[in-house]
Amino acid sequence: MSQSKEQLKIVNQIWEDYQNAKAYQTSVELRTNVPIYVDFYEGRQWPRVTKLTEHMPRPVFNFIEMIINHKKANVLGSKVALNFVAPNDKTATRVFSDFARYQMKEMRMEDLDARALIDGAVKGTYIYYFYWDEKAPGRRGNFEGGLRCQILDPLNVYFANPKEPDEQKQKWIMWEDRLEVNAVKDMADKSIDKTLIEKDGLETPYNSEREQDGTDLCTVITRLFRKDGEVHYERAVKNTVINKPIPLNPKLVEKLEELKKKKEMEKEDNSITPTHDTELEEEDIDAIKFSYYPIVVGSWKIKDKSIYGRGEVETLIPNQKAVNFEIAMQLLNHQELGWGKLLVKPNALNGQEITNTPGEVIVDHTPGANNWWGIKKLEGENFAGAALDFPAKLLDLTRTVTNSSEVLTGDMISKDLSGKAIAYLQEEGGRSTGDLQKAFWRVKEKQGLVLAQFYKLYYEDKDYDFALTEDEIGDLEEQYRQNGLKIDEVPTTKSGKFTGQDYLNIPFDIVVEAGPGSRYSEIMTVDMLNTLFINGNIQNFTSEQLEQYVTLMPDSIMPFKNELRAIIKKQQRSELGQLKVLVEQLQAQLTQLTQQNQEYEKVVNKLGSELKKSDNMITSLQNEYSNKINQVNDYLLAQSGQAPTNKKQTIQR
């Protein structure tokens, strides 16, 4: 299968661009210097041994590694939260940001950041490459696999215009990989002549990348470029293209074909009334275009008119050499003088062998006068005191100039200082590295733009977990309390499903927020917790006062704000729950008392009715007795000859 002229033209162009980009790196001494920086960071700080230097001691006091590791830890000292903010859409903001946090944990982004910053501090530049890994476990909607990230070596990445610091403005970006020939043949397009994929030699400036004999590898060039606003990628080896240009969004081709067919139908069928549907579909296609290169470039320190940055090692190497050499000379001096040389005249030893055994006795057989010597020790000259102090002074000066003094690296400053005082000094000493941290946060913002496109275009019905808010936890605790369940079993996380197309037309602002805590916040944390809890001061606060105290306290002084707020909220919910239970109990008691009162009223009303009946009966009896008495009186009067009264008495009660 012969290669077409078009394919041959493309592969020649790719390889020419590749060679020109490597030549540029060589011309600016990147390919010469960066491997040296790596060697010094990893402790390979002496040249190869020669015959003249084979007896020279080669001590390594690798303060370069110490400085870089501490500065890297300083930049990563505060955790970074990557938030996707949709204006006027709180739901989209919450869901997208929660999914991003879950997905970045899945990618182990913190480990990748640490590795990237080591590259930046040593090589000057660190590069993230985000890609869809079809071999990643699980299903993620329409595509098998998952989003992954790789840290690329800056010497293996090439740009169309290396003087343009913005990677998104590049005409193309390419990088090289070393892969097995058979694996490259498997990944090649079916129309490719696979006999052109052959083993080739490795060209690398790194000694550590040397390949062992018997390897069957070839160099694969991957190139990214834009076509009609969509990022495409293509791959090639030295002799042929192995993958023709493919859009990063595979569904873009289907959408374009659908739109093309619809336009053709409208042209052929004059009865179709022109509408704006086609225009709207074109806007939809623009929305699903992968417009950002999945490459994010960061510089440890900015280099003028270059996408490649500056690291820490470049300016430290001369000082590192001086310290190593000075200490080596001291060791060589001790080595040479440890067993001093002897000056021996002929026949003075008379066959004796000097072994330097302690207490050894040597007889001087020199003929001649007794006071004439034949065996004499040559005394060497010791190093001057100033020379002995030079390495330590040079190291202190280096640490000061590079802002890596004992304040920053955490060494013992003074035994008389408290932990809080040391922490304050360390925090203040780390302020000058704030520019490095801000530069890293800007790189995280650029990552957010790339991640948003992957989330929108590749993920559908993806399961993820997210943390509940305090209000949501409070509502669940209330439900558990009402249902008689244990509040301690209330979950703090929840599962959801994420579909990127739901947010396809929603623009997001990328906001990077530093998490709470100083770089040496453990000392602060212990001291503050001792003040609040062990000393009993927290008992003197009400919940409202404690919330105000936490809000006004700086994050660097109180790195456990979120955790303490969660405890306060939980305590407030517990107190509220107890109050609700108490209110319910009081309401039940009030209801019971009301019922008893109603019963008592019934009894009282009944007693009043009975009493009224008794009064009526008494009144009736009294009237009856009164009438009878009157009758008796009348009868007696009649018997005595007097006229009767005929007067009735009625007793009123």
Side-chain angles (χ1 to χ4, degrees):
M1 184 185 299
S2 61
Q3 188 171 198
S4 66
K5 292 183 179 181
E6 183 181 356
Q7 289 179 340
L8 184 61
K9 181 180 179 181
I10 293 174
V11 71
N12 288 339
Q13 184 63 55
I14 292 175
W15 215 257
E16 182 181 355
D17 292 339
Y18 167 61
Q19 295 295 341
N20 290 338
K22 287 178 66 176
Y24 172 80
Q25 288 185 348
T26 302
S27 68
V28 296
E29 299 183 342
L30 277 176
R31 301 187 74 81
T32 302
N33 293 333
V34 169
I36 296 175
Y37 303 156
V38 173
D39 285 342
F40 268 80
Y41 172 74
E42 295 180 354
R44 296 182 292 273
Q45 299 176 353
W46 286 90
R48 293 184 178 181
V49 178
T50 65
K51 188 173 182 180
L52 295 176
T53 62
E54 60 184 1
H55 297 296
M56 182 77 174
R58 284 171 170 75
V60 174
F61 290 82
N62 196 355
F63 63 78
I64 287 180
E65 182 180 14
M66 176 198 69
I67 290 174
I68 287 177
N69 288 346
H70 278 98
K71 283 201 169 185
K72 182 257 305 182
N74 210 34
V75 173
L76 294 175
S78 296
K79 293 184 178 180
V80 177
L82 190 61
N83 297 319
F84 295 80
V85 180
N88 303 321
D89 194 336
K90 293 183 179 180
T91 301
T93 297
R94 166 80 183 277
V95 173
F96 218 87
S97 298
D98 284 344
F99 179 75
R101 279 188 281 272
Y102 173 85
Q103 197 277 327
M104 293 183 78
K105 287 182 181 179
E106 187 181 79
M107 285 198 304
R108 299 182 182 275
M109 204 65 198
E110 288 186 4
D111 295 339
L112 293 170
D113 288 339
R115 180 179 173 185
L117 288 179
I118 289 294
D119 264 6
V122 176
K123 303 174 184 178
T125 308
Y126 52 102
I127 301 175
Y128 296 86
Y129 167 50
F130 295 92
Y131 63 98
W132 188 261
D133 184 5
E134 296 180 351
K135 296 182 181 179
R139 182 170 182 81
R140 308 294 186 264
N142 293 328
F143 306 100
E144 296 288 347
L147 181 62
R148 293 295 180 264
C149 180
Q150 179 182 353
I151 306 301
L152 300 180
D153 191 300
L155 293 189
N156 293 337
V157 183
Y158 311 98
F159 304 92
N161 181 11
K163 292 186 177 181
E164 171 55 61
D166 188 350
E167 65 273 21
Q168 297 301 331
K169 294 181 180 180
Q170 298 291 335
K171 181 180 178 182
W172 52 258
I173 302 174
M174 66 171 64
W175 66 92
E176 60 179 304
D177 292 300
R178 294 288 291 175
L179 303 175
E180 292 185 357
V181 172
N182 290 333
V184 176
K185 290 180 178 180
D186 292 338
M187 66 191 296
D189 296 339
K190 294 181 180 180
S191 60
I192 300 302
D193 184 1
K194 297 183 180 181
T195 60
L196 298 174
I197 303 174
E198 300 175 338
K199 174 184 176 181
D200 57 26
L202 172 66
E203 298 179 7
T204 176
Y206 296 108
N207 290 324
S208 58
E209 285 189 354
R210 304 297 178 188
E211 296 173 355
Q212 66 181 22
D213 295 336
T215 56
D216 187 21
L217 303 176
C218 64
T219 300
V220 177
I221 304 297
T222 303
R223 182 165 75 165
L224 299 173
F225 63 95
R226 290 189 181 93
K227 181 179 179 182
D228 297 329
E230 166 75 12
V231 176
H232 290 64
Y233 71 92
E234 59 185 351
R235 294 191 184 99
V237 292
K238 189 172 184 179
N239 298 323
T240 183
V241 173
I242 60 175
N243 294 123
K244 296 179 181 179
I246 303 171
L248 282 189
N249 181 11
K251 285 190 169 295
L252 179 64
V253 177
E254 299 177 10
K255 290 287 185 182
L256 290 174
E257 289 295 328
E258 292 177 4
L259 182 61
K260 183 179 179 180
K261 290 180 180 179
K262 185 168 184 178
K263 287 183 177 180
E264 291 176 352
M265 291 176 60
E266 289 179 353
K267 289 181 180 180
E268 295 175 358
D269 192 349
N270 295 327
S271 62
I272 299 178
T273 304
T275 63
H276 296 290
D277 293 343
T278 303
E279 182 179 348
L280 292 175
E281 289 185 6
E282 289 177 348
E283 293 179 359
D284 292 339
I285 287 177
D286 289 337
I288 66 173
K289 286 182 178 179
F290 206 114
S291 58
Y292 287 98
Y293 287 126
I295 294 284
V296 179
V297 181
S299 296
W300 183 258
K301 296 178 183 178
I302 296 175
K303 181 183 290 186
D304 186 35
K305 297 178 182 178
S306 178
I307 197 170
Y308 300 104
R310 298 178 295 122
E312 296 284 344
V313 182
E314 181 178 0
T315 56
L316 292 175
I317 286 179
N319 295 19
Q320 181 71 69
K321 285 182 176 180
V323 170
N324 289 347
F325 182 77
E326 185 71 18
I327 297 176
M329 292 298 294
Q330 295 181 30
L331 292 175
L332 181 62
N333 180 261
H334 294 314
Q335 176 180 304
E336 295 295 329
L337 298 180
W339 290 271
K341 295 181 180 179
L342 297 176
L343 183 63
V344 180
K345 290 186 176 181
N347 302 321
L349 290 176
N350 194 21
Q352 299 175 91
E353 181 180 357
I354 300 176
T355 63
N356 281 327
T357 302
E360 181 179 18
V361 178
I362 302 295
V363 179
D364 187 355
H365 293 280
T366 303
N370 293 333
N371 60 350
W372 192 255
W373 62 268
I375 303 173
K376 183 179 180 181
K377 184 177 181 181
L378 294 178
E379 297 293 337
E381 187 173 341
N382 292 322
F383 258 58
L388 295 174
D389 296 336
F390 173 75
K393 292 181 178 179
L394 180 59
L395 178 57
D396 289 341
L397 182 60
T398 301
R399 295 174 69 171
T400 300
V401 172
T402 60
N403 189 41
S404 304
S405 61
E406 59 185 4
V407 170
L408 181 68
T409 56
D411 299 340
M412 180 58 68
I413 301 171
S414 172
K415 294 181 180 179
D416 298 330
L417 293 180
S418 65
K420 182 187 292 187
I422 294 174
Y424 278 128
L425 288 173
Q426 290 167 339
E427 181 71 15
E428 188 65 27
R431 292 186 185 278
S432 57
T433 60
D435 290 340
L436 298 175
Q437 192 174 64
K438 290 178 181 178
F440 173 64
W441 292 352
R442 287 192 291 269
V443 171
K444 301 302 288 185
E445 290 177 354
K446 294 194 295 184
Q447 287 181 11
L449 298 173
V450 175
L451 292 171
Q453 290 201 320
F454 273 107
Y455 297 159
K456 289 180 178 181
L457 300 178
Y458 276 82
Y459 283 98
E460 183 175 350
D461 291 333
K462 166 70 169 95
D463 294 326
Y464 73 103
D465 296 329
F466 60 93
L468 296 175
T469 64
E470 291 299 325
D471 292 337
E472 291 171 339
I473 294 175
D475 293 339
L476 283 177
E477 289 183 352
E478 182 63 25
Q479 295 177 12
Y480 272 54
R481 186 180 294 106
Q482 292 178 357
N483 296 327
L485 302 176
K486 294 181 179 179
I487 299 179
D488 295 339
E489 298 178 356
V490 171
T492 58
T493 60
K494 188 178 180 180
S495 298
K497 286 186 178 294
F498 178 83
T499 298
Q501 291 185 0
D502 295 343
Y503 312 95
L504 197 60
N505 295 312
I506 297 178
F508 287 96
D509 296 327
I510 312 301
V511 179
V512 175
E513 295 179 347
S518 65
R519 284 159 288 277
Y520 298 91
S521 58
E522 289 84 0
I523 300 175
M524 302 273 193
T525 301
V526 173
D527 188 80
M528 185 67 69
L529 290 176
N530 287 340
T531 301
L532 287 176
F533 290 93
I534 296 180
N535 296 337
N537 292 330
I538 198 171
Q539 298 175 1
N540 299 324
F541 287 97
T542 64
S543 298
E544 292 76 11
Q545 290 173 335
L546 189 57
E547 178 65 30
Q548 294 174 356
Y549 177 79
V550 173
T551 301
L552 296 175
M553 185 67 66
D555 290 345
S556 59
I557 303 299
M558 185 178 284
F560 50 89
K561 272 190 175 184
N562 291 337
E563 291 80 2
L564 186 55
R565 278 200 178 100
I567 294 174
I568 295 171
K569 292 291 185 183
K570 188 173 183 179
Q571 182 178 350
Q572 288 175 342
R573 291 194 299 269
S574 177
E575 293 174 353
L576 181 60
Q578 293 175 1
L579 289 175
K580 286 183 177 180
V581 171
L582 180 60
V583 169
E584 291 174 356
Q585 293 176 350
L586 292 175
Q587 287 178 342
Q589 292 176 3
L590 180 60
T591 301
Q592 184 178 3
L593 291 173
T594 302
Q595 292 176 351
Q596 291 179 352
N597 187 43
Q598 291 174 352
E599 294 294 331
Y600 292 153
E601 287 180 353
K602 290 180 181 179
V603 172
V604 170
N605 291 335
K606 187 176 180 180
L607 289 175
S609 177
E610 294 294 331
L611 182 59
K612 188 175 182 180
K613 289 180 180 180
S614 299
D615 288 343
N616 292 336
M617 290 178 62
I618 293 172
T619 302
S620 177
L621 290 173
Q622 286 178 341
N623 290 333
E624 183 178 354
Y625 291 153
S626 178
N627 291 333
K628 288 182 176 181
I629 291 172
N630 289 335
Q631 290 176 3
V632 171
N633 289 334
D634 289 343
Y635 175 77
L636 292 176
L637 289 173
Q639 290 296 325
S640 62
Q642 296 181 9
T645 62
N646 294 324
K647 183 180 181 183
K648 288 187 177 181
Q649 291 184 353
T650 302
I651 298 175
Q652 300 292 334
R653 292 184 61 89

